[in-house]
Amino acid sequence: MPKDFTQLNYYEVLDIKPDAVAFEIRHAYNAALQVYQPGSLASYSFFPEDERQDILSLVETAYRTLISDQARKDYNEELIRRGELDVRKEATSTAKKPVSIFNISRNPVAKVALTNNETLKNKINQSQLIGDILAQNELCGADLKKIRTELGVLIEQIAQETKIRHDHLRSMEEDHVARLPAAVFLKGFVKSYLKCLCLEPVEALSTRYMDTVARLSQK
Amino acid sequence: MAYIWPIGGGKGGSGKSFLTSSLGRLSARLGKRTLVIDLDLGAANLHTLVGVPYPKKGFSDFIRKKTFRLEDTVVETPFENLFLISGAHDNFDVANLPYEQKIKTLRAIMKLDYDSVLLDLGAGTSFNTLDFFLISQHGIFITTPEPTSIENVYRLIRSIYFRRIRYCFNVTDFKALEDEVVIQFGDGSFNKPECMIKVIADVYPEKYEQLQDAFSAFRFKLIINQVRKHDNAALGMQMSRMLEKHLGLHIEFAGNVAYDDHVHDAICQRVSFLDRYPCTRTACDLHEVGKQIVQPGGQQLMFRYL
Ligand SMILES: Nc1ncnc2c1ncn2[C@@H]1O[C@H](COP(=O)(O)OP(=O)(O)O)[C@@H](O)[C@H]1O
Ligand SMILES: [Mg+2]
């Protein structure tokens, strides 16, 4: 049977886990408002007005408390004292970070793991081949591969650095248009690839690549 | 034993009969022997929706003629595997069905030899309607996304909740319970089953256990019908969440069925909507909802009306 709504703790009020991150809290708050607001269809006739007001103010308090780091910490401690929250669960709340959907752009760029950035840049500046490729109006996957080989970077290294799946990288380098990921992803992928090899300017080059792919796929 | 799907909704015109006939069609099409029963006796029109404008016999024969068994009142429809017990020619309301007749009907329905039985229940919250709804734990609630319809469906859900509690008590105990609820929770609480269940938990712990088992066995579903483009598509999920959170009732949202003027056209031309307009959004929605009904999970438990 349901607990009395006013007896619920703030996490239960908002229907979130104790380790919810700010984004989830905000989302849950909006969802609760949609259900409990006076004009809402979903709760039409479900409560008397005064009960609805109580619920709404509870939702409000829950949100304000959980969204503020300090207030939330204090509240968690209170819950732990009341035995409603176990410590292990709470501990993970600091460890968990929001996971970005594209974990490509998250890591700034190739770090030492690959090769030294300076060394790469020098090579790029001195290579006739790379200079020629970058001077073209087009930039296809095969060009990327040529540059990579010229720089002596392995495809495995790129995969490791960018976290892009191997088969995606291979499809890109082989210009296997049918197997390429959707454009929104591809754009991110190629940017990471370019950054990984210290090829500049990333924005212009990635656009050039996307245009080339678009043309290829029309054939 | 047949799977029984009682279909109810708070309000006339929300689409109970249309959905009963459509879901019946879909089930029959998949080769299940399917029977639809019109129990909206005051406003029977299921026969028209399944292509039997003038049924030769129907539910009234079972009620009026002692020699008729319920299965003798079944008529065929133009659709393979789809059968009907019509409610036409009945000039009384299910609400007024005498107790013995109701029990006799409930028992007969449970014994029917079909794969699926769909009950088209009328609007309203008469005890008889509630009892028919509670015949299996697979009841389906229909509402449209309008406040009036939602108000009624919530009222129906609460009534069913109360009715199920009522099964556990005799008249005097139940009356005493009602009084106690009002004493503890105030005047407004008489229509709040969630208050009553709290009192039961205190006073009758063993009945409370029993009821918890009963409620967790329910596999009720909610369908939002006549959803228009600008309506909130999340309404069904939100209602389901409300019911779970505030009544402790798990009612699964089974899906939206889009509004389409072609429904009206099909009914006016007296053709099956699913046959005539198979590629509409509404037809797809019906298929989606239908899938959940054709492949039910778990075993069916039923009350014994002995
Ligand atoms: N999904 C829908 N789209 C458009 N109209 C609908 C839809 N469902 C039902 N209707 C309309 O609503 C009317 C009432 O439906 P009906 O099934 O008879 O309701 P009930 O049995 O709940 O009283 C139908 O005649 C039909 O025109
Ligand atoms: Mg009807």
Side-chain angles (χ1 to χ4, degrees), chain B residues 9 11-21 40 43 45 49 120-123 142 144 224-228 257-265 267 273 282 286:
Chain B
K11 207 161 173 293
S14 50
K16 295 177 292 295
S17 302
F18 173 64
L19 284 174
T20 308
S21 64
D40 191 358
N45 46 30
L49 291 171
D120 180 4
L121 300 177
I142 314 270
T144 67
I224 314 277
N225 187 30
Q226 303 188 27
V227 177
R228 288 165 167 87
V257 176
Y259 177 88
D260 191 334
D261 282 324
H262 291 118
V263 173
H264 168 82
D265 299 345
I267 295 175
F273 170 78
T282 302
L286 288 169

Side-chain angles (χ1 to χ4, degrees), chain B residues 59-100:
Chain B
F59 187 64
S60 57
D61 295 308
F62 174 65
I63 295 301
R64 293 186 211 291
K65 299 180 191 160
K66 293 234 161 15
T67 53
F68 259 71
R69 292 175 307 158
L70 189 59
E71 47 271 45
D72 297 331
T73 66
V74 173
V75 295
E76 290 184 353
T77 72
F79 308 107
E80 199 184 348
N81 286 322
L82 187 65
F83 302 86
L84 165 76
I85 295 181
S86 159
H89 315 308
D90 283 299
N91 43 19
F92 62 89
D93 200 327
V94 156
N96 303 327
L97 204 59
Y99 181 80
E100 297 74 38

Side-chain angles (χ1 to χ4, degrees), chain B residues 239-279:
Chain B
M239 289 178 69
S240 161
R241 184 183 148 183
M242 289 278 304
L243 290 160
E244 176 105 48
K245 204 145 194 174
H246 296 277
L247 290 188
L249 271 190
H250 180 70
I251 297 183
E252 187 191 346
F253 172 53
N256 291 324
V257 176
Y259 177 88
D260 191 334
D261 282 324
H262 291 118
V263 173
H264 168 82
D265 299 345
I267 295 175
C268 288
Q269 296 162 34
R270 310 228 204 111
V271 293
S272 153
F273 170 78
L274 286 168
D275 289 344
R276 180 70 180 76
Y277 302 103
C279 298

Side-chain angles (χ1 to χ4, degrees), chain B residues 291-304:
Chain B
K291 270 187 210 157
Q292 302 174 47
I293 289 179
V294 175
Q295 308 155 338
Q299 205 203 337
Q300 169 156 266
L301 313 163
M302 294 205 271
F303 297 115
R304 285 181 206 292

